[in-house]
Amino acid sequence: MKITYLDNISATPLHPQVKEAIVKYIEKDGFGNPLSQHRVGDGAMETLEDARTKVAQLIKANPQEIIFSSGGTESTNHAIKGVAFAKAKKGKHIITSNIEHQSVARPLRVLMRMGYEVTSVGVDQHGVIDPEEVKKAIRDDTILVSIMHANNEIGTIEPIAEIGKIVKARNITFHSDAVASCGNIPTDVDVLGVDLLSIAANQFYGPSGIGALYIRPKTQIFPLIDGGTQEGGRRAGTPNMLGIVGMGKAAELARIEMPQRTEHLLKLRKALIERLKTIDEIYINGHPEKCLPGFLSFSVAYVEGESMTMMLDEEGIAVSTRSACASGSLRASHVLIATGSDYALAQGTLLFSFGIDNTFEDMDKAVDSLRKSVEFLRNMSPLYKKK
Amino acid sequence: MQYSEIALEHFKNPRNVGKIENPDGIGEVGNPICGDMMTITIKVKDEKIDDIKFNTFGCGAAIAVSSMVTEMAKGKKLEEAMKITNEAVAESLGGLPKNKLHCSNLGADALHKAIMDYYARKEGKAHIHEPVEYIGEREGKCYCPYCDTEMPEQTPVCKKCGKPVVEH
């Protein structure tokens, strides 16, 4: 069966040129340790620094401000715990939002058990954070603000640049989880005003298991992983060279192709919204304009999300109810509840995240299959009253 | 996919879907806040379940459980049907993923409630089932997705197994 893949938020397919770059590297030497003091090591070092430059260019940073990690989760953990530990003497108050990914929310919960205090700011019905709320939450002992760039469940883009100005004026460290956004929308560390930025390659057609953390010079932060002197002593461990080669290439392609990609994805998004209107009582989540281009979250009344994904899977349509990281949970999405969505409606939420390979035919096929699934499940639902 | 072949088959081709008009008993459990809600209606003849139908709002497991429990109860004497356990339903489905075990509770509960409702009506008592509102104002039961222990709505971690159950 040909699979129509509409779950790019879980992981994007590898770009053919990324695959090619990785294979080329394997065939060339493919094993060298960049820290070795001989020419095999030198070759690897050159490859490593080339990739670092490409990642830096994607977010308009300097290469030495980038460290590679094992993915988005390591980067966010590093940013949050690293700053919390480094600045513990200064204060123990951290500000975040109530729609963050678990890789931010959970480390913060761990810190709370260690005596840190966390203030979570809320969102409006579109999932947008009010910078004024962040301002109000700032205290004299606030050491870190961590707010996501774009939400991974509803696609809303947050006013990071505005929040950045407020946070900077108070001399507080500012981290943004840009895993869902970076590579898909323009992400400039100076425009955003961030000190730390977490990104992951599997959100822009690079491999899974590789990410990066941007660290602005002079940021007070401890390493998360201690050991050797790799990454300027900020992240120990022999670098994952295959992943890094893939991430470098993916970053380069994302930077160059972003305008064309965005145009295509926005067209697909519009087409999808039009087609969804042909099914009764579907409610679109997130912000109408400030949203990731390849992304649409919507709630279907009277039915539950997982049963819809199972039916769609039978038809060869791969979608999710929310981010893959949270799919084991049975609770209604904390993000949708934060936007004021009704619990029952939140349970019927689907996430279509599409990519550069998707077509208008894919949207037709997906909505046709969805219509069938919804009809089948509503027919079975005690909540549904036929009109 | 984490479901067994049998569970998947019941999900794709659920048996006994619908609502019996003028039923002899109604059993309604769960609520949409927790993501599952099930209504079972029965028709009784000679103290046997002559006909049984279900309506379910819920995940794949909840639908498979509904289908299986109605199949298991159909034609059975009421007292035998009362003995159908959650474990038996889950077992007949070839097992359920651990975080979906609570769905099997709903199936057996709904069946037992429908039978109790039948007895209550027979004795001339009012219906014991209360209709569940769509907008879930009512505080419903939720279960730990890992160890299946009932827990209050706002607990961040399960009291029994200690696993985190709220996403934020």
Side-chain angles (χ1 to χ4, degrees):
Chain A
M1 191 196 296
K2 187 188 168 278
I3 304 293
T4 303
Y5 187 75
L6 301 176
D7 191 17
N8 282 264
I9 190 70
S10 291
T12 45
L14 275 190
H15 193 291
Q17 287 189 50
V18 170
K19 223 181 280 179
E20 199 187 298
I22 296 171
V23 170
K24 231 187 221 167
Y25 178 73
I26 294 172
E27 284 169 353
K28 204 179 99 208
D29 66 28
F31 70 94
N33 185 330
L35 265 71
S36 298
Q37 305 294 315
H38 45 63
R39 57 194 78 200
V40 178
D42 292 346
M45 182 59 98
E46 204 176 297
T47 307
L48 173 65
E49 293 312 318
D50 175 59
R52 197 189 308 281
T53 303
K54 286 171 177 158
V55 171
Q57 283 169 344
L58 178 63
I59 58 171
K60 307 254 168 66
N62 293 318
Q64 64 270 24
E65 296 162 349
I66 304 291
I67 62 169
F68 287 106
S69 71
S70 64
T73 295
E74 185 191 316
S75 296
T76 54
N77 267 268
H78 186 177
I80 291 165
K81 292 175 184 165
V83 171
F85 297 156
K87 295 176 82 174
K89 278 185 188 154
K90 233 177 187 172
K92 288 195 166 185
H93 180 242
I94 299 169
I95 298 168
T96 189
S97 80
N98 63 1
I99 58 162
E100 298 292 315
H101 187 267
Q102 301 94 306
S103 64
V104 168
R106 291 259 163 94
L108 286 173
R109 205 185 295 155
V110 170
L111 289 176
M112 280 164 81
R113 286 205 283 272
M114 295 170 69
Y116 288 81
E117 277 184 81
V118 175
T119 303
S120 275
V121 296
V123 294
D124 68 10
Q125 81 265 31
H126 299 304
V128 182
I129 294 158
D130 179 359
E132 281 304 308
E133 290 296 313
V134 177
K135 195 175 187 177
K136 272 190 241 160
I138 294 176
R139 311 192 318 208
D140 289 340
D141 61 343
T142 305
I143 51 171
L144 172 69
V145 173
S146 183
I147 306 274
M148 68 200 326
H149 188 198
N151 182 269
N152 59 301
E153 288 196 24
I154 55 175
T156 300
I157 300 169
E158 301 299 341
I160 296 301
E162 285 173 58
I163 298 169
K165 277 185 202 126
I166 293 167
V167 175
K168 201 171 190 176
R170 297 291 299 266
N171 228 353
I172 298 163
T173 306
F174 186 29
H175 167 245
S176 185
D177 165 9
V179 170
S181 58
C182 185
N184 296 302
I185 55 170
T187 307
D188 178 327
V189 290
D190 288 333
V191 171
L192 297 176
V194 292
D195 300 305
L196 299 155
L197 191 88
S198 295
I199 68 178
N202 70 359
Q203 299 295 314
F204 50 91
Y205 311 98
S208 288
I210 183 75
L213 178 64
Y214 160 80
I215 306 178
R216 190 176 289 280
K218 292 183 186 157
T219 302
Q220 278 179 275
I221 183 167
F222 283 172
L224 184 69
I225 297 175
D226 296 295
T229 58
Q230 293 88 356
E231 305 293 287
R234 293 170 295 180
R235 202 281 190 182
T238 306
N240 165 11
M241 288 302 293
L242 299 185
I244 288 169
V245 168
M247 184 169 190
K249 189 71 200 173
E252 183 186 24
L253 291 167
R255 179 171 53 84
I256 297 166
E257 294 178 4
M258 197 178 289
Q260 296 93 289
R261 287 182 185 182
T262 305
E263 197 191 329
H264 176 62
L265 293 175
L266 285 175
K267 276 185 196 156
L268 287 180
R269 191 174 192 273
K270 205 174 153 207
L272 177 59
I273 292 173
E274 281 305 313
R275 283 158 180 72
L276 285 176
K277 282 181 186 159
T278 62
I279 305 175
D280 285 344
E281 293 199 69
I282 285 191
Y283 304 94
I284 290 169
N285 303 310
H287 196 280
E289 284 105 37
K290 290 176 217 155
C291 60
L292 291 175
F295 207 92
L296 195 72
S297 161
F298 54 91
S299 301
V300 184
Y302 317 118
V303 292
E304 192 269 351
E306 193 222 33
S307 48
M308 281 190 282
T309 61
M310 281 174 70
M311 296 218 51
L312 289 172
D313 189 43
E314 285 297 316
E315 304 254 332
I317 317 281
V319 301
S320 60
T321 51
R322 58 203 298 193
S323 63
C325 312
S327 62
S329 166
L330 307 173
R331 297 279 173 146
S333 152
H334 69 281
V335 177
L336 289 166
I337 298 308
T339 63
S341 172
D342 172 71
Y343 274 84
L345 195 56
Q347 293 281 12
T349 300
L350 285 182
L351 190 50
F352 283 15
S353 51
F354 29 97
I356 49 178
D357 296 333
N358 288 119
T359 60
F360 289 98
E361 288 73 42
D362 289 342
M363 299 298 140
D364 288 336
K365 198 177 159 216
V367 175
D368 283 344
S369 298
L370 179 69
R371 183 178 297 109
K372 261 195 267 176
S373 308
V374 169
E375 212 167 281
F376 179 80
L377 292 167
R378 278 186 179 165
N379 200 29
M380 209 187 293
S381 170
L383 302 171
Y384 185 57
K385 309 272 186 289
K386 273 198 192 101
K387 280 178 188 147
Chain B
M1 184 55 72
Q2 47 188 353
Y3 290 113
S4 73
E5 294 265 333
I6 311 169
L8 265 181
E9 204 278 320
H10 272 266
F11 168 72
K12 282 187 269 179
N13 304 295
R15 283 68 148 171
N16 311 310
V17 174
K19 205 171 179 182
I20 297 173
E21 291 299 322
N22 305 314
D24 296 324
I26 301 175
E28 197 165 45
V29 295
N31 87 38
I33 298 175
C34 301
D36 292 300
M37 183 181 162
M38 212 174 277
T39 309
I40 284 183
T41 46
I42 54 170
K43 204 82 188 162
V44 179
K45 205 172 169 186
D46 303 330
E47 298 302 291
K48 274 185 189 167
I49 295 183
D50 189 48
D51 196 10
I52 179 164
K53 290 207 184 301
F54 80 87
N55 273 144
T56 292
F57 164 90
C59 64
I63 290 167
V65 160
S66 311
S67 170
M68 181 53 89
V69 80
T70 54
E71 277 292 274
M72 288 168 81
K74 207 172 195 176
K76 278 219 168 75
K77 282 189 183 156
L78 293 177
E79 55 198 64
E80 279 173 45
M82 278 305 277
K83 286 181 199 150
I84 294 172
T85 61
N86 314 320
E87 290 81 9
V89 177
E91 214 172 279
S92 304
L93 284 170
L96 282 174
K98 216 170 175 200
N99 66 346
K100 297 284 180 182
L101 270 176
H102 72 287
C103 298
S104 62
N105 291 355
L106 290 180
D109 286 357
L111 171 67
H112 298 161
K113 261 193 161 176
I115 297 171
M116 297 302 286
D117 184 42
Y118 163 74
Y119 284 134
R121 289 176 190 218
K122 212 173 133 189
E123 286 169 25
K125 287 182 194 155
H127 301 182
I128 56 167
H129 99 274
E130 307 141 21
V132 176
E133 292 297 316
Y134 171 46
I135 309 293
E137 293 288 321
R138 228 168 65 161
E139 188 76 357
K141 285 181 184 177
C142 283
Y143 300 86
C144 169
Y146 300 99
C147 71
D148 202 29
T149 306
E150 189 191 328
M151 55 188 191
E153 176 70 14
Q154 288 303 331
T155 330
V157 288
C158 173
K159 271 185 279 177
K160 195 173 164 203
C161 69
K163 292 220 169 95
V165 286
V166 180
E167 279 319 309
H168 193 69

